[in-house]
Each structure stands twice: as C-alpha cells, then as structure tokens.
C-alpha cells in the first residue's frame, strides 16, 4: 500500500478525523487493489483454489514445505532462527526492501499501563525490566532463553550502550546472525514508519472487498 499510495508522510492524520485524508485515500487506494488483483494468478493457491492463507503460522508452514518462495515478516531474525533449528535450508536469507518506498516497514514492541490497572507500581517494575539492556538483548537473541528475535528499541551503537558495555553483547548476537539476517545498522537505516491504525483497519476492509472477495 505504501509503495503505490503513500505512507505516513502522505497520510499524515488519522483517517476518521480528516475529510481531506478520506478523500486522498479514496483517490490513491484503487491502484493498490488493481495491482493485487493483477498478481493473483502468480500467488500460491490451495487445492481448493483459495489463495490467501489464514495465519502467519500457515504462511511459514507453506515456506517450510517449499510451496512458496518468499514470506514477509517483522521478525528480522526469523530466517536465522529457522536455519539454526534445521527447519529451513542454509540458503535461506532475510533481506530488506530498499525501494518503493525507500525502506522496510518496521516497528518495535511497547507496553502500556491502563489507567485502571490495580497494581501500577508492579507494572512499572515490569516495564523497567523490559527496558533494561539485559532484557532487550535476551529478546533480540533468537538463540537466547526467549528465542524471540525481537528488534531492539535502543541503538546498540549509542553512547549509553557503549558506556555500560552492553554493546559487546549486541555485537556477539549480530555476529551469530551474520549472513542470514540484516544487521541492526541496516535495519535502522532502512526503517520506514507505519500508517496510523485507522488506515490499517480500512485497508483490511477494502482488501477483503476488492481483492479477497473478487470472483476467481
């Protein structure tokens, strides 16, 4: 969608709060559905004729079984993790999109404490732990105890990381991932922001209407 219609720089306000954004969306979104319909014949299809797997787990299964040649994921270390586990062949590589738009859509996880949370202090303790370097590295390392491979929210090359010595831990993880995953620096350089959630809701609805529900 962002390659053909535009990203946060174009759709700069929540969709439901701006008539101008709604008009712009109506103007710019049709080429997206046309493109998706054009590539339908080249997509995976089930024996029953369906072309749209219902979950990310199913998409990964299709890739594992050799039924698809490419998958898209937020988890930059997924390929390294699956290669290490022997699930995917050693030739599997993760790469970044670097054109149209100039980068790869990326985000980081966050936590929030509800206003009516009964144990706010305890929640803050958990939040502090999640923001600690040790916890960030544990989540980043796909071979660690968490086995997650989550993108770090902090810059491992920052003075804070260097001063604390945690930059060496980041470097060790990156060395293990070399060749199968983009580096943290590459991820940061090519990071592209996401659209406001109101657009995601509308995109999902329009995809179901103009692409998924379209007669074969």
């Amino acid at each position: 969608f962002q390659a053909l219609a535009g990203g946060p720089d174009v759709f700069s306000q929540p969709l439901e709060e701006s008539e101008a954004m709604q008009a712009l969306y109506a103007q710019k979104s049709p080429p997206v559905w046309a493109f998706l319909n054009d590539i339908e014949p080249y997509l995976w299809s089930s024996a029953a004729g369906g072309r749209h797997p219902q979950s990310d787990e199913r998409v990964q299964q299709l890739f594992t079984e050799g039924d698809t040649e490419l998958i898209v994921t937020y988890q930059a270390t997924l390929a390294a993790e699956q290669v290490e586990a022997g699930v995917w062949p050693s030739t599997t590589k993760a790469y970044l999109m670097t054109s149209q738009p100039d980068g790869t859509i990326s985000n980081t996880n966050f936590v929030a404490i509800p206003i009516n949370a009964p144990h706010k202090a305890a929640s803050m303790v958990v939040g502090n732990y999640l923001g600690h370097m040790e916890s960030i590295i544990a989540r980043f390392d796909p071979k660690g105890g968490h086995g997650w491979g989550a993108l770090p929210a902090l810059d491992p090359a920052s003075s804070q990381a260097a001063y604390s010595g945690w930059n060496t831990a980041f470097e060790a993880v990156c060395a293990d991932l070399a060749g199968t995953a983009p580096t943290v620096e590459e991820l940061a350089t090519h990071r592209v922001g996401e659209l406001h959630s109101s657009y995601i809701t509308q995109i999902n609805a329009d995809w179901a209407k103009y692409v998924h529900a379209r007669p074969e």
Side-chain angles (χ1 to χ4, degrees), residues 191-205:
R191 178 173 292 180
V192 173
E194 292 183 298
L195 291 166
H196 186 270
S197 59
S198 58
Y199 292 94
I200 307 305
T201 300
Q202 188 63 52
I203 289 170
N204 285 337

Side-chain angles (χ1 to χ4, degrees), residues 30-152:
V32 177
W33 321 131
F35 171 78
L36 293 176
N37 283 318
D38 285 344
I39 66 173
E40 279 280 298
Y42 307 102
L43 302 180
W44 168 86
S45 62
S46 67
R51 294 189 183 277
H52 308 116
Q54 297 299 308
S55 67
D56 183 60
E57 290 75 15
R58 177 58 177 150
V59 170
Q60 290 192 34
Q61 180 184 3
L62 291 170
F63 185 80
T64 301
E65 295 172 349
D67 291 328
T68 59
E69 297 181 350
L70 175 73
I71 63 173
V72 179
T73 178
Y74 273 126
Q75 188 176 338
T77 61
L78 178 62
E81 182 179 348
Q82 297 292 67
V83 169
E84 176 71 17
V87 177
W88 293 350
S90 60
T91 53
T92 306
K93 308 293 181 184
Y95 70 95
L96 294 166
M97 297 179 183
T98 57
S99 62
Q100 287 192 298
D102 184 17
T104 295
I105 297 174
S106 178
N107 67 9
T108 52
N109 298 288
F110 66 92
V111 293
I113 302 174
I115 193 171
N116 61 344
H119 305 292
K120 290 185 175 65
S123 300
M124 293 173 69
V125 171
V126 174
N128 285 339
Y129 169 73
L130 293 175
H132 190 272
M133 285 288 190
E134 182 176 3
S135 175
I136 292 173
I137 293 172
R139 296 195 304 276
F140 175 52
D141 185 0
K143 300 178 184 178
H146 294 283
W148 187 347
L151 294 178

